[in-house]
Amino acid sequence: MANADCIVIQGSNMAECHPVGYQWVTEAKARGAKVIHVDPRFTRTSAVADRHVPIRAGSDIVLLGALINHVLSNELWFKEYVVAYTNAATIVNEDFRDTEDLDGLFSGYDPETGEYDLESWAYSRREHDASGTEAGSGTTDPDDHEHREDDAHADDYEHGADTSERAAGHQYGSGGPPIEHPEFESDPTLQHPRTVFQILKRHYSRYTPEMVRDACGISVEDFDYLARTITENSGRERTTCFAYAVGWTQHTTGAQFIRAASILQLLLGNMGRPGGGIMALRGHASIQGSTDIPTLFNLLPGYLPMPRVGMDSLEDYLDSVSSRTQKGYWAHADAYTISLLKAWWGDAAQADNDWAYSYLPRLNGAHGTYQTVMSMLDDEVDGYFVFGQNPAVGSAHGRMQRLGMAHLKWLVVRDFSLIETATWWKDGPEIASGELRTEDIETEVFFMPAATHVEKAGTFTQTQRLLQWRHQATTPPGDCQSELHFFYELGRRIRSRLAESTDERDRPLLDLMWDYPTDEHGDPDPEAVLAEINGTHLTGPQAGRPLSSYTEMKPDGSTAGGCWIYSGVYADGINHAANRRPGHEQGPNAPEWGWAWPSNRRILYNRASADPEGRPWSERKKFVWWDEEKQQWTGQDVPDFPVDRAPGSPSDPRAGGAAGLAGDDPFIMQADGKGWLFAPKGMVDGPLPTHYEAQESPVDNPLYTQQQSPARITFPRTDNLSAPSANAAGVGVYPCIFTTYRLTEHHTAGGMSRWLPYLSELQPEMFCEVSPELAAERGLEPYGWATIISPRAAIEAKVLVTERMRTLTVGGRPVHQVGLPYHWGVGGEAFVTGDAANDLLGITLDPNVQIQESKVGSCDIRPGRRPHGAELLALIADYQTRAGLTPETSNERVTDPGTSGAVGGPAAPGTANAAGIPGTPAAPDTPGTETEREG
Amino acid sequence: MRQLTEAPDHIAHHEHPRKGFFTDTSICIGCKACEVACKEWNRNPHDSAFELLESSYDNTGSLGADTWRHVAFVEQSGQQIEQARESGRALVSLGMPGIGPPASRPSSAAPGIVPSDTASSDTTPPDTPEFRWLMSSDVCKHCTNAGCLDVCPTGALFRTEFGTVVVQDDVCNGCGTCVAGCPFGVIERRSDGIVAPKTERDFTPGEQAATRNVGVAQKCTLCYDRMVDDQTPACAQACPTTSIKYGDREEMVATARQRVAELQTQGMSEARLYGANDFDGVGGTGSVFLLLDEPEVYGLPPDPRVPTADLPQMFKRAGIAAAGMLAATAVAFVAGGRR
Amino acid sequence: MARFSFLEWPVIRQLRSSDSLGRGEAVTSQRTREIAPRTATADRVVQSVCPYCAVGCGQRVFVKDGKVVQIEGDPDSPISRGRLCPKGAASEQLVNAPGRQTRLLYRAPRATEWQHLDLDTAIDMIADRFIAARRRGWQDTDEHGRRLRRTMGIAALGGATLDNEENYLIKKLFTAAGAVQIENQARI
């Protein structure tokens, strides 16, 4: 980021949440870079930025779409980059319908399931007679794969619900679904109406500065400043960087927010370039590692997907990941998968038993944390392990989390202090309100004290994919143990208990490679685990030696490796994550400090920092280039490209994998080697980001009749009610928007800060932030108390009245926003306690990644402290009744053009509804009724 | 006025340049890392009732015996920003030394309303924003003429070889004279006067130890123990954006002057220095600040003066008075002697 | 206690040195003169990484007599250059917090208070329950007869502050046990 000429921080509060990372922004600014902070609040980041642009929480796609529109309409895109490196010229098949055609929906939507069939989004395939495949079928179906044997079985994949299930985002690794043939129709002049370029233009044609003013509350002047600054700082000589965090991800359309930014950055030619790109600011020490080596339900290490029901053979599974003829490194998924299976099951994994593939459990739906909590409420889950996490405060819908735990048979909490997740049974809000009685709760709870980061050695992967080894400073005190020690020991005891079992179901546990060297305390050696993750050669002349790179992995059982993207961290038996050559002795990329995946590359897709001929786009922004003499790529970073693939090399249509990449295919993980402006696959809710309102929003979607994202994942339940939206009756009962966020002084759900006096005294009390207008309207006293009520809960907080919160004008009406930091919990063991903001949140998820919407919710706010006990429950219920909430409220998939809202009747245009909210002018004519929408 | 009341060259066997801070509040992100790093290093107790102080994000309040770094937060409207710009321009026009853009800076937009001695560069402010949030980390000033040091009767307070002012907590008897002597209200005696027991840890997990140095005067030592080992003070090392800079005082003042000039060129006429003027009431400070408004806005005294400033004159007058008394007595004795 | 020589008296030192006013070296106590930072007197220092956010600032951990006495930024890190935010700067207090638990606690069904339990017994109990829950929640096939080979009786949440090695073993063990409901903060 230090090399950027312009930095846009949006969906992030970088100076508060990543203060030390922010020093690089400060440096860029000192060098003359412009820093713009787009955020609903004026925060400490805004205080040191060049400009703060206040935005209505959740309306980012309108802004980003308008920027895309601005770039396209004013011809400000980086032409040579876009034509060569993106799929702008690719032609989409003729069955595709955009949201402009269907008033907010794309073609392929099934209102019964709430999912899209992606078939109509596919590229238009070029007619050719190679390999005996059919011409002009217009699909990119892996089912056309020559190797498929069982066509009848194949059909199951293609029609009806199975297709969209298969397309569901959580099923794929990060490479997305496979694309069979890299030969598609294209028009390099970008004039054909079905080129991605033209579709993009049309899709965003109504995202104008005026729309931004009306939907986001951003002045035309602020938009102009933002648009000018970004475009003036992009191109050959200059680059712009975007930085985001959960202000973008925690929405029902979160994944599309990021997609929108990547489209913009591709158009401006900023991807893969120094000072460009998109910086994902992740929030926790090794959250990156926790997704790379995932303790996540849908992934295996290295973003391989977990197998789904019906994928009975390894071949079935691999076909779902990639095809061997697609370009890029995902084509070698067989090598990565088999190496993983060998690492886990060693000699028990052989070619004749499909490499023990059958040992892997299967998914048949989304088994994310929120779905699991709902299963707990149904008594389907007996036991729960929670480690280094405080879901009673940190997860959305705190009440559901705690009630879920009350249904468990046993709970194991591993942490430093007695966090709320460990004590809810004696001092949680449900005990205080009388909903639960301690003596009636059957849940057994084990609190296991955990070792801190200095009491164990191991690697963290930070937000830039950099692995850093931590050395052990002391041994854990008392009963404290590292998770490594505990889980290894647990595994040993489970295996010894099952040792005599003849049950075939226990074989995966018994055949598991579970024997690590331990020290005198029984603590396993973390370096041995890292070595396994890195991988080794099992046979041949290199037998026993660590792998140096994932390119050495083979699909024939001769290599083992726990996580292919980490291969190389232990190359030559050296722990490269522990490389510690001081930064001041190295160049700016500092490759000898730690190790980044993949292969210690620091900027991904850095091939794009050079033009199609291999020369840097400019001297000022040179990064990686082609050395004609040495016939290889070189530069300031490890080239993210086959090192000897000359710039002009053509693509071999029959070769798959890395070999199939042409000399100008910088996006090596995409199946066509290009950056995707339009995503034919990989996103389940649309090939192009589209603005939808949040699950709960008092604003009527100004762009389409469709109010919320039609593909979002809803849970219509009586314990998960949503506020009415848009113009529905009852929307005035919860008229304000609230948004949640962090403060610098605390950390997440407080487990690592509210038990520390030094941090607790810096921010001792839970508070809310409101604008002076809202305070005046509601009679809120500065530093007095307020009660905030949502359809799920009611909390209290002290009030900070500040101009940093703005009441925005949206669609001609004032929209109040309430800011809530979410660090506090009511547990009695901490230095500071307070009500938990996340108790207000409901559960509605993004369909691509199953993440909850924590950044936009509806609420009411009134002065005074909240009631306790039964009175508190009565208050919440009273609001629900007045708003007429039912499980269907705001949960309809397709917005009926006449209603845009819930049961209870909408306001007719031009009149006001029961809550006094006037109706908007009549919606534009829609193309048809529900039945005409394609399924 | 005067240099250090301790002649710098009296320190025979150490040769150290004077060390100090330059706190550039224009890049402070208000993170309070300085507060925590300082407490951690010095093992200071937490000193809070764990209630909001009702001062924006500032819940620390002020410097004292237990808090040696304090971050102030000031939210301001456009009108106040404009006032700050005005007062800044007035300072420049007074010709205060060290303030004003160097002639080499390129000018940008049209010239604004500026006094003639800065007409060579553009000081048109950028559009006055509607709002700003000032953040500033305050610390002991380590004054050139230090009131606390001047009045200390026991020699607990002394001037180190680095030019800093340090309390020796094994010598201090808690008399409290220094508390009145500081024009900034920084030094205080550590008490356990609040209800919640304050904790000081002796590095054992899960245990609380008693507070140390109760009753004794405590303040920032500029990390004297780190300095003797050639290390950076804890706050300066931690500060993510180098808002807190540490080094030779001369360098710090030069950097400060350069930075003010830079900001002035960008039109931010509200930028000014505090403590860099050797002619002020404390002879300039070891901790120099770049402020974006009047000192009072940050809770700093606008014209601090060491209480012993008038001491020589007071003694002179007292001496004259005493001499006069003696003379009068002598005259009375001689003249009125024979009767 | 060392013999205190007449010449050591501050007054005498004042007269003998150039610090006649007693404002500098003449008034320094022995303790002051021997002052040394605990970063220099520590038994050892190791390099670690901050456990809070994902910037991954380098930390230096100083140990004396088996205790962590100081954690501060690592100037060698090219990412953080020795700097820390307030949370990273408070890492020593995280390790030595007065509220930190160092003993295992157990709550029996319907109990109103914690009780102590030894670690070994607790792990045994958990292993037994793990196996029982696994069995009870086992699903061989789905309603169409397709193989699932998994258990829905066990769930896990957490991992964003755990090491990669730890997450790897957890994923490995749980997956081999057929437990698929494993999640962490990435999805929250």
Side-chain angles (χ1 to χ4, degrees):
Chain A
M1 289 178 83
N3 297 316
D5 300 296
C6 170
I7 298 172
V8 179
I9 299 171
Q10 186 173 348
S12 153
N13 185 7
M14 193 178 176
E16 292 201 42
C17 301
H18 298 88
V20 182
Y22 196 80
Q23 65 183 274
W24 300 108
V25 177
T26 305
E27 281 214 3
K29 185 156 187 260
R31 279 204 275 269
K34 286 277 175 280
V35 178
I36 304 170
H37 185 219
V38 183
D39 195 292
R41 305 181 303 136
F42 186 103
T43 68
R44 286 174 267 200
T45 306
S46 323
V48 288
D50 285 297
R51 185 100 142 197
H52 170 240
V53 177
I55 187 174
R56 176 171 67 98
S59 60
D60 299 61
I61 293 183
V62 179
L63 178 62
L64 294 167
L67 288 169
I68 293 170
N69 187 17
H70 175 87
V71 165
L72 293 173
S73 310
N74 294 296
E75 311 242 324
L76 295 168
W77 42 293
F78 189 167
K79 291 188 176 57
E80 300 98 314
Y81 183 104
V82 171
V83 168
Y85 294 160
T86 71
N87 66 353
T90 312
I91 294 177
V92 176
N93 88 85
E94 60 196 2
D95 292 333
F96 172 73
R97 293 287 172 276
D98 184 72
T99 50
E100 291 297 287
D101 304 311
L102 303 178
D103 195 12
L105 297 176
F106 289 100
S107 47
Y109 185 72
D110 178 359
E112 296 301 309
T113 60
E115 296 176 3
Y116 278 102
D117 176 348
L118 275 57
E119 208 174 304
S120 64
W121 304 351
Y123 291 156
S124 183
R125 211 170 65 202
R126 184 172 298 163
E127 305 199 2
H128 66 95
D129 57 349
S131 332
T133 50
E134 291 173 32
S137 61
T139 66
T140 50
D141 258 333
D143 267 3
D144 289 328
H145 196 301
E146 294 123 43
H147 298 298
R148 181 154 308 287
E149 288 152 24
D150 185 356
D151 281 346
H153 195 171
D155 283 347
D156 285 344
Y157 282 81
E158 290 321 307
H159 306 293
D162 275 353
T163 312
S164 25
E165 266 185 33
R166 180 171 63 83
H170 62 261
Q171 300 179 45
Y172 293 104
S174 71
I179 285 194
E180 169 64 19
H181 291 282
E183 288 287 303
F184 304 111
E185 284 194 79
S186 72
D187 172 16
T189 68
L190 309 181
Q191 296 308 308
H192 188 292
R194 279 190 285 113
T195 48
V196 161
F197 188 78
Q198 294 298 336
I199 290 175
L200 190 68
K201 265 186 116 156
R202 182 160 172 264
H203 181 85
Y204 288 113
S205 53
R206 290 187 299 122
Y207 290 65
T208 60
E210 290 73 32
M211 181 60 72
V212 167
R213 178 195 61 213
D214 290 340
C216 310
I218 296 174
S219 69
V220 169
E221 196 244 350
D222 273 346
F223 175 80
D224 182 59
Y225 175 84
L226 180 63
R228 249 188 315 115
T229 312
I230 293 175
T231 50
E232 281 170 10
N233 285 296
S234 302
R236 279 181 182 265
E237 297 286 335
R238 306 180 81 80
T239 52
T240 294
C241 171
F242 271 77
Y244 78 91
V246 296
W248 269 3
T249 65
Q250 288 176 346
H251 293 271
T252 45
T253 49
Q256 295 286 6
F257 280 32
I258 300 156
R259 267 275 297 146
S262 63
I263 293 173
L264 182 62
Q265 288 290 67
L266 281 170
L267 288 175
L268 293 172
N270 282 320
M271 294 302 260
R273 303 190 55 207
I278 300 176
M279 168 67 82
L281 292 167
R282 308 202 67 170
H284 317 97
S286 198
I287 186 69
Q288 181 64 44
S290 305
T291 42
D292 299 336
I293 300 192
T295 35
L296 292 171
F297 81 91
N298 63 318
L299 294 174
L300 286 170
Y303 299 98
L304 292 162
M306 279 286 280
R308 292 184 45 75
V309 67
M311 295 177 185
D312 289 326
S313 73
L314 182 59
E315 196 67 31
D316 294 336
Y317 169 80
L318 291 172
D319 283 340
S320 80
V321 178
S322 64
S323 93
R324 284 189 195 78
T325 61
Q326 74 180 52
K327 293 189 192 181
Y329 288 93
W330 270 117
H332 306 291
D334 52 356
Y336 314 145
T337 310
I338 292 170
S339 298
L340 172 67
L341 294 170
K342 288 296 286 182
W344 284 12
W345 284 295
D347 290 335
Q350 294 295 341
D352 58 10
N353 70 356
D354 223 9
W355 306 106
Y357 165 74
S358 64
Y359 281 2
L360 294 170
R362 305 286 191 260
L363 306 182
N364 67 347
H367 310 297
T369 179
Y370 293 107
Q371 288 93 346
T372 301
V373 169
M374 291 176 198
S375 300
M376 289 179 192
L377 290 169
D378 292 335
D379 291 312
E380 286 167 10
V381 182
D382 283 356
Y384 194 27
F385 290 86
V386 181
F387 30 92
Q389 191 81 4
N390 193 7
V393 173
S395 290
H397 209 326
R399 181 164 165 273
M400 196 187 279
Q401 304 290 330
R402 295 182 294 265
L403 290 176
M405 288 193 281
H407 281 256
L408 296 167
K409 289 212 173 96
W410 48 272
L411 169 69
V412 177
V413 179
R414 297 183 51 83
D415 215 298
F416 306 141
S417 314
L418 286 168
I419 52 175
E420 284 79 3
T421 301
T423 62
W424 54 271
W425 48 271
K426 52 156 57 179
D427 61 15
E430 288 68 38
I431 305 290
S433 69
E435 276 183 278
L436 290 177
R437 255 173 38 97
T438 304
E439 298 81 357
D440 295 336
I441 300 176
E442 303 261 356
T443 315
E444 250 185 325
V445 184
F446 295 84
F447 179 82
M448 309 191 73
T452 62
H453 70 297
V454 299
E455 293 156 0
K456 52 185 182 175
T459 52
F460 278 162
T461 306
Q462 52 85 267
T463 197
Q464 293 168 293
R465 309 181 314 282
L466 186 73
L467 279 76
Q468 300 182 102
W469 182 265
R470 291 184 344 273
H471 295 274
Q472 183 173 5
T474 55
T475 52
D479 289 340
C480 297
Q481 272 183 321
S482 66
E483 269 63 44
L484 199 72
H485 192 172
F486 170 70
F487 281 102
Y488 181 58
E489 189 52 38
L490 183 68
R492 277 193 347 99
R493 295 190 193 197
I494 290 170
R495 277 157 52 88
S496 91
R497 278 158 173 71
L498 295 174
E500 304 305 313
S501 166
T502 52
D503 190 340
E504 208 274 334
R505 288 175 282 195
D506 294 332
R507 293 272 23 116
L509 277 171
L510 295 173
D511 289 339
L512 194 64
M513 302 282 281
W514 198 253
D515 186 20
Y516 299 96
T518 58
D519 66 10
E520 65 273 17
H521 307 291
D523 217 337
D525 178 12
E527 223 173 285
V529 181
L530 184 65
E532 177 179 316
I533 291 170
N534 177 84
T536 42
H537 294 275
L538 296 172
T539 62
Q542 300 239 63
R545 300 209 50 219
L547 299 179
S548 301
S549 156
Y550 60 84
T551 51
E552 292 179 10
M553 282 184 165
K554 300 268 181 299
D556 59 5
S558 64
T559 57
C563 181
W564 68 278
I565 50 178
Y566 280 20
S567 286
V569 67
Y570 209 69
D572 302 315
I574 298 169
N575 184 348
H576 293 285
N579 286 352
R580 283 301 209 282
R581 181 132 182 262
H584 47 83
E585 291 176 20
Q586 303 186 56
N589 267 343
E592 289 175 68
W593 179 276
W595 184 90
W597 67 263
S599 304
N600 212 18
R601 290 167 194 156
R602 302 308 169 100
I603 292 187
L604 292 177
Y605 306 127
N606 56 28
R607 163 73 184 87
S609 65
D611 65 17
E613 284 72 46
R615 297 172 309 233
W617 292 107
S618 68
E619 190 58 31
R620 186 166 179 269
K621 293 284 172 178
K622 68 192 261 191
F623 194 66
V624 161
W625 58 87
W626 175 252
D627 185 330
E628 191 59 44
E629 219 180 274
K630 295 200 185 121
Q631 285 287 297
Q632 64 180 25
W633 291 94
T634 183
Q636 297 169 20
D637 192 6
V638 174
D640 194 20
F641 200 65
V643 73
D644 52 4
R645 185 70 41 84
S649 317
S651 157
D652 180 354
R654 267 167 302 268
L661 290 168
D664 61 353
D665 284 341
F667 293 93
I668 59 172
M669 300 308 291
Q670 297 303 103
D672 55 1
K674 301 295 180 203
W676 283 3
L677 297 169
F678 177 98
K681 293 216 171 191
M683 301 295 282
V684 304
D685 51 353
L688 291 171
T690 307
H691 172 70
Y692 297 109
E693 289 292 321
Q695 167 70 6
E696 295 181 335
S697 167
V699 177
D700 196 5
N701 190 342
L703 280 156
Y704 318 98
T705 302
Q706 181 64 26
Q707 173 74 2
Q708 296 106 337
S709 165
R712 73 199 184 287
I713 297 179
T714 57
F715 298 93
R717 304 162 53 109
T718 49
D719 61 0
N720 189 35
L721 297 172
S722 294
S725 298
N727 298 316
V731 73
V733 176
Y734 306 98
C736 305
I737 297 173
F738 72 90
T739 188
T740 60
Y741 47 84
R742 285 200 201 179
L743 301 167
T744 314
E745 298 86 342
H746 279 288
H747 191 62
T748 60
M752 290 165 75
S753 63
R754 281 184 291 117
W755 272 262
L756 273 58
Y758 284 172
L759 295 177
S760 300
E761 63 176 344
L762 297 177
Q763 287 287 13
E765 292 191 81
M766 169 61 181
F767 59 85
C768 63
E769 299 188 288
V770 301
S771 68
E773 291 89 344
L774 180 57
E777 204 179 284
R778 293 312 172 96
L780 302 170
E781 293 289 326
Y783 304 107
W785 285 99
T787 300
I788 300 115
I789 307 109
S790 83
R792 275 81 43 189
I795 62 168
E796 64 183 8
K798 286 271 181 77
V799 180
L800 258 64
V801 181
T802 169
E803 284 183 56
R804 294 180 289 103
M805 294 300 287
R806 297 274 201 93
T807 291
L808 299 170
T809 304
V810 175
R813 288 162 38 196
V815 169
H816 294 298
Q817 301 191 103
V818 177
L820 294 167
Y822 76 98
H823 303 293
W824 281 268
V826 299
E829 305 281 333
F831 271 93
V832 291
T833 63
D835 280 351
N838 285 358
D839 279 10
L840 296 175
L841 297 170
I843 300 175
T844 308
L845 310 178
D846 172 307
N848 291 294
V849 291
Q850 317 282 320
I851 201 166
Q852 79 288 341
E853 187 151 65
S854 339
K855 291 295 175 181
V856 190
S858 289
C859 71
D860 187 28
I861 183 167
R862 48 201 233 181
R865 301 195 70 157
R866 65 164 168 85
H868 293 263
E871 270 184 57
L872 175 63
L873 300 175
L875 174 67
I876 300 166
D878 171 62
Y879 266 81
Q880 292 169 341
T881 311
R882 282 196 293 120
L885 301 188
T886 71
E888 282 70 44
T889 309
S890 285
N891 276 325
E892 59 284 333
R893 291 211 167 101
V894 179
T895 312
D896 191 343
T899 62
S900 71
V903 180
T911 66
N913 67 6
I917 311 284
T920 53
D925 281 344
T926 55
T929 63
E930 257 187 37
T931 51
E932 285 184 24
R933 295 204 169 104
E934 297 181 13
Chain B
M1 227 158 82
R2 296 180 294 181
Q3 294 168 350
L4 288 177
T5 47
E6 309 65 60
D9 55 358
H10 85 282
I11 300 166
H13 46 282
H14 295 289
E15 311 227 321
H16 298 273
R18 184 177 175 194
K19 297 286 195 191
F21 285 129
F22 164 42
T23 305
D24 180 359
T25 68
S26 69
I27 54 176
C28 174
I29 54 175
C31 70
K32 309 177 193 172
C34 50
E35 292 193 32
V36 176
C38 171
K39 286 214 175 187
E40 275 280 3
W41 177 252
N42 295 294
R43 295 159 66 197
N44 287 343
H46 70 268
D47 59 341
S48 168
F50 296 115
E51 280 169 12
L52 285 177
L53 211 58
E54 308 197 0
S55 174
S56 188
Y57 276 11
D58 175 5
N59 294 305
T60 306
S62 60
L63 294 174
D66 302 330
T67 297
W68 301 352
R69 267 277 176 194
H70 157 239
V71 182
F73 291 81
V74 185
E75 298 184 29
Q76 291 188 325
S77 65
Q79 194 189 23
Q80 290 161 299
I81 303 170
E82 192 45 56
Q83 277 169 6
R85 295 223 157 127
E86 260 317 302
S87 69
R89 274 182 229 126
L91 274 178
V92 169
S93 71
L94 282 173
M96 296 295 281
I99 297 176
S104 56
R105 298 277 175 191
S107 62
S108 37
I113 311 159
V114 290
S116 54
D117 58 1
T118 55
S120 55
S121 308
D122 169 60
T123 48
T124 310
D127 292 335
T128 306
E130 291 166 24
F131 180 84
R132 72 173 175 181
W133 204 3
L134 299 175
M135 294 177 274
S136 163
S137 178
D138 192 14
V139 72
C140 167
K141 310 298 173 294
H142 294 277
C143 310
T144 305
N145 299 308
C148 58
L149 172 57
D150 282 353
V151 306
C152 175
T154 61
L157 277 152
F158 78 107
R159 177 83 60 183
T160 70
E161 61 269 37
F162 301 102
T164 56
V165 181
V166 173
V167 184
Q168 303 179 86
D169 41 26
D170 55 337
V171 176
C172 175
N173 64 0
C175 73
T177 316
C178 56
V179 178
C182 174
F184 300 93
V186 167
I187 191 167
E188 273 180 15
R189 282 172 298 183
R190 180 169 290 171
S191 70
D192 55 4
I194 54 178
V195 175
K198 288 181 278 192
T199 54
E200 191 255 314
R201 305 129 298 115
D202 71 345
F203 310 115
T204 305
E207 278 182 28
Q208 290 193 130
T211 311
R212 30 169 230 152
N213 292 339
V214 176
V216 161
Q218 295 279 275
K219 74 168 189 72
C220 164
T221 64
L222 235 163
C223 283
Y224 183 48
D225 50 355
R226 293 173 71 97
M227 272 164 54
V228 298
D229 201 39
D230 226 0
Q231 285 178 50
T232 312
C235 56
Q237 175 166 296
C239 179
T241 57
T242 70
S243 171
I244 300 173
K245 297 179 169 50
Y246 163 79
D248 295 351
R249 185 182 182 265
E250 220 175 280
E251 232 177 87
M252 292 293 99
V253 173
T255 309
R257 295 219 162 102
Q258 220 175 23
R259 177 64 176 156
V260 164
E262 196 184 311
L263 290 175
Q264 295 272 337
T265 325
Q266 291 169 16
M268 293 176 66
S269 59
E270 65 270 29
R272 70 202 70 191
L273 294 181
Y274 183 76
N277 184 2
D278 291 342
F279 295 97
D280 69 22
V282 293
T285 60
S287 308
V288 171
F289 294 79
L290 187 151
L291 303 177
L292 298 174
D293 205 329
E294 299 286 327
E296 302 95 300
V297 168
Y298 294 88
L300 294 166
D303 189 16
R305 202 152 176 277
V306 63
T308 52
D310 296 322
L311 213 50
Q313 204 181 23
M314 282 163 58
F315 272 121
K316 220 164 42 177
R317 289 216 176 108
I320 292 171
M325 276 296 294
L326 272 173
T329 312
V331 165
F333 186 72
V334 166
R338 325 149 190 257
R339 206 34 95 74
Chain C
M1 182 112 170
R3 247 183 332 110
F4 189 70
S5 125
F6 174 70
L7 293 171
E8 296 292 322
W9 278 16
V11 175
I12 304 300
R13 277 158 54 200
Q14 256 180 272
L15 297 171
R16 291 179 67 219
S17 76
S18 52
D19 180 24
S20 49
L21 291 177
R23 295 164 63 91
E25 48 165 5
V27 292
T28 55
S29 66
Q30 187 173 8
R31 185 163 155 271
T32 302
R33 277 173 276 139
E34 289 173 356
I35 201 168
R38 59 181 185 276
T39 46
T41 58
D43 294 332
R44 65 175 178 280
V45 52
V46 307
Q47 286 173 303
S48 188
V49 178
C50 182
Y52 284 94
C53 86
V55 172
C57 301
Q59 287 186 330
R60 286 210 171 141
V61 184
F62 296 84
V63 182
K64 181 122 183 118
D65 299 332
K67 295 186 187 175
V68 173
V69 296
Q70 173 72 356
I71 298 182
E72 56 184 51
D74 186 350
D76 286 346
S77 165
I79 301 169
S80 62
R81 302 193 282 192
R83 309 170 196 183
L84 288 176
C85 79
K87 299 179 294 296
S91 296
E92 178 273 329
Q93 193 167 71
L94 179 70
V95 172
N96 295 326
R100 184 172 173 202
Q101 300 296 319
T102 54
R103 293 192 61 184
L104 187 126
L105 294 171
Y106 171 73
R107 184 248 179 190
R110 298 175 175 266
T112 54
E113 288 305 328
W114 295 103
Q115 67 187 86
H116 288 297
L117 191 60
D118 79 281
L119 183 60
D120 199 50
T121 309
I123 301 182
D124 269 336
M125 288 167 76
I126 295 170
D128 289 333
R129 280 149 183 71
F130 186 101
I131 292 172
R134 176 175 174 262
R135 285 215 172 100
R136 200 189 76 79
W138 191 264
Q139 296 173 348
D140 272 323
T141 59
D142 70 355
E143 65 272 20
H144 302 300
R146 300 180 293 183
R147 187 174 62 220
L148 289 174
R149 199 186 187 145
R150 70 182 187 198
T151 178
M152 301 301 273
I154 300 170
L157 181 67
T161 46
L162 269 58
D163 297 339
N164 292 320
E165 293 75 17
E166 295 176 321
N167 279 326
Y168 180 74
L169 287 197
I170 292 167
K171 181 73 176 180
K172 191 178 181 186
L173 177 66
F174 277 62
T175 307
V180 297
Q181 297 175 112
I182 312 195
E183 283 282 78
N184 73 46
Q185 196 152 5
R187 208 185 301 285
I188 296 178

